[in-house]
Amino acid sequence: MLARSLLVPTVLAAATRSASAFLLRSAASPTFASSSRAFSNSAMSAGKPISIIVEADIKPERMDEFLALIQKNAEGSRKEPGCQRFDVLRSQDDPNKFFFYEIYDDADAVAHHKAQPHFDLWTKFKDSEGIATSVSKKAFGEFMT
């Protein structure tokens, strides 16, 4: 039992280093670019859903406006063909920080989403400087339920 308990931290440390190296390589890879074309042309994307993870810091004085529009955006997005999931999460540590977790069937579904009026609410909010910062990342679904 002692040998097993010593092995677990070693394996976890190695896995963490490997995952960190993968993420660094992946971030630099052109297949993780922000355009839908990069996803649709990649052999890695064949048949895999696309996830978009957004981290946004909302200006406190614009919070009520944000909450109203993001609810409309989330509800509208969930009704779109090709949208598997659209979650809006609020940070436990910072009440002005939000995460959006979106899953789409493919690049066409992402393009469709970006052409919708409810998505335009978010775009206009960002353009009007309602956010302090916003970062989006795209990933391919590997092991999903």
Side-chain angles (χ1 to χ4, degrees):
M1 187 65 154
L2 179 59
R4 186 176 185 177
S5 66
L6 292 175
L7 179 63
V8 171
T10 304
V11 171
L12 288 175
T16 302
R17 283 192 304 275
S18 295
S20 297
F22 171 77
L23 289 173
L24 288 173
R25 285 192 310 271
S26 298
S29 169
T31 59
F32 284 83
S34 61
S35 73
S36 297
R37 175 175 286 159
F39 281 94
S40 61
N41 290 338
S42 172
M44 285 181 17
S45 68
K48 295 180 181 177
I50 296 173
S51 295
I52 301 173
I53 301 96
V54 178
E55 179 178 337
D57 289 305
I58 309 304
K59 291 183 177 177
E61 65 273 15
R62 303 282 301 273
M63 187 59 69
D64 290 340
E65 179 186 356
F66 166 75
L67 291 172
L69 79 85
I70 202 61
Q71 181 177 1
K72 289 177 187 173
N73 189 14
E75 290 172 351
S77 297
R78 292 176 190 139
K79 295 175 185 172
E80 295 172 18
C83 179
Q84 296 180 22
R85 180 173 209 101
F86 194 108
D87 295 333
V88 179
L89 310 164
R90 192 175 214 167
S91 173
Q92 293 180 3
D93 303 326
D94 180 350
N96 299 319
K97 184 181 295 278
F98 288 80
F99 304 93
F100 314 153
Y101 181 62
E102 309 168 40
I103 302 175
Y104 299 92
D105 288 344
D106 52 30
D108 290 339
V110 173
H112 176 78
H113 170 67
K114 290 182 175 183
Q116 300 308 302
H118 51 264
F119 178 81
D120 197 40
L121 296 172
W122 168 242
T123 302
K124 288 179 180 176
F125 183 76
K126 288 192 308 181
D127 291 346
S128 72
E129 300 181 5
I131 60 168
T133 62
S134 176
V135 177
S136 297
K137 300 288 183 179
K138 289 186 179 179
F140 298 116
E142 286 294 331
F143 304 107
M144 301 173 68
T145 58

